[in-house]
Every structure is written in C-alpha cells, then in structure tokens.
Amino acid sequence: MEKKYFAFISYQRKDEKLAEWLRRKLEGYHLPAKIKRENHALPKALRPIFRDSLELSGGFLAQEIEKALNDSRYLIVVCSPNSAASPWVNKEVQNFIDQGREDCIIPYIVNGVPFSGDEATECFPPALRSLQGEKEILGININELGRDASVIKVVARMFGLSFDTLWQRHNREQRRKRIAWAFVAVLLILISFFVSGYFFKVNREIEQKNREILQQSREIEEKSDEISRKNIEVTQKNEEIAGQYREIEQKNREITERNKEILRGRDRLLISQSKYLVTEATKEYERGDVAKALRLSLYALPKDLKNPDRPYVMEAEAMLRKCRLSVEQLKSDYFKTTIIKHTSGINSAFLSPDGKYILTASSDYTARVSDVITGQQIFSPLKHNDIINYAVFSPCGKYIATASSDHTARIWDAKTGVPLTQPLMHADNVNSVNFSPDGKYIVTASSDKTARIWDVKTGKQVVETFTHDKWLDYSEFSPCGNSVLTMCDGDFVQIWDIATAKPVKEVLLHEKFVNSLFFSPDEKYLLINSSDSVVNIWDTTQDNELIASLKHKEHVYTADISPDGKTVITATYDKIFVWDIKTGELLAEPLMFDEIDKLQYSSCGKYIIASSSSKRQVWNADTKANITDKVSLLPREYYEPIFYSAGNEATVISQTADEGVHIKLAEDEYIQHFVHSQCGNYIAVVYNDHSEHKYAVRVFSVKTGKPITEPLFNERGINSITFSPNGKLLFISYDNNDTYIQNLENGEMVEKPLKAKCIDFSKDGKYFAFITEYKYNKYLIVFNASKIEQINEPIKCSSNTDFLAFNPDGVSVAVVSNNVIDFYNINTGEYAAESIKYDNRITSVAFSPCGKRLTTTSFDRYAMVWDIASNKRLWQIEFGYLVHSAHFSPDGKFIITSSIGSPDICIWDSSTHKIVWEISNGTSASHATFSPDGKSVYAALNQDIYVLPFQPLQEIIDKYRNDPEHDWSLSQEEKDEYSLE
C-alpha cells in the first residue's frame, strides 16, 4: 500500500531544532541522476517528511499521530537522553515494532550513547533497547559522521543504497557547484568592467550639462534678489497694516471674552435656576401634582439640545422622564368593565395569578374560566352534578380546584378544562377547596364534618382526616403551608398541624356567623370578621390569645391585612377604617367611599384600594391622602384587574392600555438571565421552573410579549444563550459544555450538540468565539461564522473560566475566570490588554460601543467602569445589595444596572455618573439592558420581563412642547410663583 509520507520524525521537544533541520535536509535532498536512471522506482526527492507540529491540523488528537505513523514508510528517531525519557517517542517506536516494521526504524543519534545503562547518557528509548540480537538496529551518529554525511547515510539506509557511492557523488556534486560559482563570479566581473566604462562616459556628459545649468541658475538668482528687495518693501507695508489689524483683533477678543463671561454667568444662573425648578418639581410630584412637576422640569430643559437656549441639567431630564410615565398613564383610558354571566347565582370568583382570567363558581352546576378583557370563555364550562360552592386557581395558575354539593371536589387543567384525577369523595356537600402555597396539595371542607388534604397530581388523600363536631364551611392552608385553618358552622375556627393531623390551637369561638378570615404574612396573627360588627385579631403564637377586637357601629363587609403585618383595614357600607394590628387603635379618620364591594392593600403596602360597581379610589397608606385623580407612577398591582359578584353576574374592571410590552412567566418560573437578538425582535429567557425542578429556555416576541417557541427543559444548568446575528438561530450552552442550536423559524434543533461553552458573536457577525474543554483544560476557540472554520490556534484559558464577551472591535475577546478578566487577541492568541482582577467573583461584563471601556459587576456589590488600555477604574457605583448586571446604551451615553434592592433598575449618565431614570417596585431585578436601537429598556423582575420605552430626550421635549391636546408650558401665575422671566 502506498504511504503518504516518506518518513515520520519522532523527537522530544527539546530536540525540535535538530528535528526541523533534519526534515529540511531530507526534503531538500535530490538523488543523483545516474542512480535514478539505474533504478526508476526511486523518487526524485524525499517529500513529504512528517513532523507533528507542522502537520497536525489542530485539536491535539492522538489518533492523528497514529494515522501519520501508519502512513509513513520509515520512522526516524532523533535519539538523545531527552527522547529516551519521552513516553511519546517510545510509544511511536513501539507502534512500528508492533506492526513488524523494525527494519523501517532509523535511529539518528544527536547526543548520548545507546545501551549505556545510564539515564544521563542513554539515548535509545526503551522500545529500541528491546531490539537486540538479530533485531538490533545500529544508529547513525551525527557527531561521528558530521551533519552532511549523517544525512547521506540516512538516505542510503532508506533506499538500500551504498553510502560510499552516495557520499562520493555528493562530494563531486559539491565540486561542480564550486566551479560553476567561480565561472559566474568571473563573468560578473567582466560585465561590471564594461558597465563601468559606459557609465563613466555618461557621467562626463552629465557634468557638462550641470555646468550649463549652474550658469543659468546664477542668472536667475540675480533676478530673484531684485524681486526679493521689492517684496521686502511690500512686506513692511503689510506689517504696518497687520499691526493695525492685531489691535482690532485684540479689542474683539476682549469684547468676546467679556461676552463669554457674561454667558458663563448667565449659564451659571440658569443652571442654578434649573436645579431649583427640579427641586420644586420633586415636591410637586410627591404631592401628587405630576402635571405641574412635568411643566417645571420641561421649562428647566433647553428646547433644542443641539442649539440650546439654556444649559442642559441632567437632574431635569431625570425628573421629566419620571413625570412622563405617570402623565402618559393618566392620559390613557386604562379601564374596561366586563360582565361574566351565569344562569344562576355566583358563589365564588377569583382571578388567575397572572390577572388574565376570572374563575367563577355558580349554582347552575358549572364553573367557568373567562378572559377578563373580552369576557369570552376559554373552554367549555367545568361541570358537577350539583351546585358548585367554590372554585380556585393554583398559585402557579396551572390547575383549578372546584368544590360541589354533589359531595365531590375535582382538580382540572387550567388551560384545557380536562379533569386530572377521579372525583375526590366526601359523604356530604363540599363547601370549600384551597391550594397549599406550593400548589402540590388541596384542602377540602365538607358538611360531613371533615376536612381532608389531597395530592393534586394523584388525587389521593395524603394525611389523616381532620374530624369536627359540626359541619365545615371553610378551610385553607396557612401561609407557610405547615398548618390548616378550618371554620365550622360559621361560629368557630380551628388550626390543625398537618404533620400530626392534630389541633394545635384552642377553638376560636364567635357569637355570630364568621364572614371572612385572614392570616398575616408572617402567620403570627389571625384576623376574623364576623356578622357581629366586630373584627377580632388573634395571636396564633400565644395559644390563640385575643389581642384586639375592632368594634364597628355597622356591619363589616370586608377587611385586609397590610403586607408588613402591622395594620388592618376594614370596610362598612361607606367607610374605611385603618387600625394598628397590635393595639387595635384607629390610626386615622375614616376614609369615605360609597358602596364598598372590595377593599385591599397593594402588594407593596403603599396604597389602599377600594372598589365598587362603577369606580374605585386610591389612598396613600401613610398619609391617607386620596391620590386617585393625580396619581403618580403606582406599582403594577394598582392596575391589576379587580372584580365583584352579585346575583348571577361577576363584574371585572381591568387595565386595557399599557406602555411597553410585558412578558410574564408563571409564579414558579424564576428568571435567571435573558438576551435579545441584534435585530431587536426576540428575547430569549433562561429560567428555573420550580414545578418541573428543571431549567428551561424560551423565546418571546418583543412586539407582542408572546412566546414563539415551546420551552426547552433540561435538568442541567444553562451556562449561556446567544442569538445568531440574523436572529434565526439560538445557541444554548449547558453546564456540561454541550451547545445545542435551535432554529427559531420551526422550533427544531438543527445540529448535534457542539462541545462548546459560552458562545458569543462579534458585533459584525463575522466570527463567533466559545470555550471548549479538553483533558481538564479549557481553550478559547474562534470560528469564521459564514464558513464555520476555525481561524486560530486554541488559546489555553483558566480552568475556572465562566463566560466570555466579544469586543465590538472584532479583534479581541474578554474571558472571565472567577475574579479575573483576561483579554485575548483572536488572531495572535496573545494578551490584548492587561488583566483586570477583583477580590470577588465577577457576575457580568459588557463592552462600550467603541470597545475601549468595560462595565463589570461582582459579588462585592459594585458596578464599575474600566478603561481597558490603561487598566484604570474610571468610576464605580456602590450598591447596598447585590448588583446583577451593567450595560452601556448603544450610543455609550448611558449605563443601565439591575440589582436586588430598590431602585431595581437604574439608568446612569455615563459621564456624570448620576441617575437619569429608575424603576423601584421592591422586587429583584435579575437583568436589564437596552434594545438595539436604544429606545427601549428590557428589564427582568422576578417572573416578569418588561419592555419599557426609553425615548431620546429631544423626542420627549418635542412631544410635550408641541402637544396639540394640552399646553404643557408654565402659566404666567406659575412663572410669577417661581420668579421666572
């Protein structure tokens, strides 16, 4: 079989120079023509010769070396004490021996002594020393023969030729070459003689012409002197004129400097005025007069930022952006009323956790799920054989539980309405059903005097029955899920330990029927509202001690406990009372509101919201001021749908307009990270699905907020997600270094998993880089994105490498390893800049659009900006809590940060380091970034991703200065109030 290589040179790295010299000599050697004529099978040249560092194609694969050995006719072993100790050299020799090709091995001794028995001088590897007796191979010693002769002897042994014959012909060839070079040298000397004579003649002619030119130059010089004298006279006159001009210019400069000083003074006054107006605008905003705050901040800004009539003040921009959000909400028609009808009375009504659907239970034997905006039913009614007394959603929104007078409770799929288990049987009417906080169990209360706990997925009872002396109206889990509260025959309440199925508290008796009951968030207090116009507050940690009785003169319709567990609100027909939960004392005069149907705290506890059939009112929970008509930017829960039911109708009041797009995940799906495509059309989200106990990736549309792919679940952690530049492919890297590629047009996986981690594309889309692992080492690899070809040798990185980011310059990549950032040039593999080192683990890095600056966040609660070239920290922001991410805007003017504490999302001016925009709703912001055009902000808050507008300042200024529907300029009275103009 024909071999690809004439020979394979085996050597240890310390002998690399001699191995390379030998390869060049062998490939450059040509057999004498006479010997070639005598044996036509011999080649003209010995090419190619294999040497691993030149021939291997990347990847450091042992199989490539073995393939090269098998494709070589001879094995030339560069023998020295270095190679004798090399296991790789020995393995390559043993490979030839194992194939029975001992006669094709040629030892080439460069140092040491074969079979010396001394490690310091032994030059044969163990496999060669094993060939003794008839199989013993003699080495070719470069030190005994000399370099040229040793090469000739290698050639002679390879082709079975006589060394003396080759050596003599080699020497004759060298003599012929010396004679040829001598002839060439004589010929060059003769040519030089004739050329010199020719140039001597030419030079004489050139000298003659130069003398003629010199004479002409003298004549021209004399004429030039005369012209120069005349020019001096003209220059003197010009200097006199210039002096006069300088005096005029000096006076102009003095006037200009005075004008500048006047302008600087004016600007200082205007800046002070603008800051004063911002202070006043802040006061008006806090009072609730957002419109006036907007007018003041608008006045404090220039009309045209490119040609400003007053200096720009960053604080004025921040205030204008804050006011804009509130004003736009006030201008919109936010609310719509929807009627959900049954053919008989409605017994319960609840909203889904995401606020999109309402679940109603009716005496017409049905429960229905309807859209809160359109009122349309999502699927066919859920049916029982008797009145449905109660129906609720699970906390995650995936399930529905119903309780009926047909002696059963049922569990349904909330998306399809399909029953998930067999009916859960009681011996009498089932009056209520509620889910546990984790959604895994339900508790039912029945007229058969029992309460039972059931597994949601199997429909089996999981603990012993809670038996009572009277029939049960109601039961529910405590907030922590460790106990169950039951209400019997409307006049007493009992708390049970789930683990033991035993009562843990004494019975809480009431003289009249109990209307409603609530746990405080910390489960310390139990609030019970009964028909005796008294709301009792019990301390559940002190053997049900009654700590307060909130007495009213009228029937109490509804009540609620604040999220911090410190206050209670109660409502009669037209009054709202605020009480201290510990002392039972009234904290304020009653708040007036007609026909109260529902009363609640906002989830942040800052607002009290009451509603009736036709309207609702909002009060500041601290000041008790009514802020409905001039409300500022309230938390999102203010705009969640509210409802009430009467007779056979349920009325839902819901928000119909909102700025931006809202991507909402389920309650048990917690966002870890998200990225947006370069085209700005998609957002890919990594989240932890607690119900599935898995990680997942899903892609959403930025325009609609709706998912465009099904979730991809995986039990392994997800390291990173990256869009291809055209937005058609999504690269998903898992913790085990497998990267899958999803086609977003059809949702299918288009490739087998790549052994890659942390893929990132260059800004122009030409390259993509990733981290791969080989033999417990990690390497940075860069590919040409269009040809899918590797463009660099693997760059060895730290074994702790976490993630990477491509510099917008397209030349360098930042690689993050725990608390160190290294910068590599993708073409050379060398360091592109000095490393940045932290004391704590780095959580994010992002380049500025120019690629010269870098934002970083870490566990030390700082966001920092670095100059990459000088390795200097330009500025830092200290947070009192963990900051997750920091990113530049596309134009580099702003930096957006996300963090755990308030404010959750901040946008900073990158030059002044001051906040120009913020979101504060008390939730954890896991990630935030700008849209590709910089006009929107993507923010992840718990289970939600919001796409919020962030318009250029000039567009906002123009919007309100040119508003055809409303005049946003200050009135003359307001100008007089603030001493303007």
Side-chain angles (χ1 to χ4, degrees), residues 895-931:
I895 294 172
I896 187 169
T897 59
S898 63
S899 61
I900 288 179
S902 180
D904 313 298
I905 306 294
C906 287
I907 296 180
W908 309 75
D909 185 286
S910 63
S911 57
T912 65
H913 320 150
K914 294 183 179 179
I915 296 177
V916 298
W917 193 75
E918 66 181 51
I919 299 175
S920 299
N921 67 353
T923 58
S924 174
S926 60
H927 191 66
T929 185
F930 287 95
S931 63

Side-chain angles (χ1 to χ4, degrees), residues 251-267:
K251 291 179 181 179
N252 287 338
R253 281 195 294 270
E254 292 174 358
I255 294 170
T256 301
E257 189 59 36
R258 283 196 296 270
N259 289 338
K260 286 182 178 179
E261 184 59 35
I262 292 170
L263 290 175
R264 283 194 290 268
R266 168 186 170 273
D267 286 348

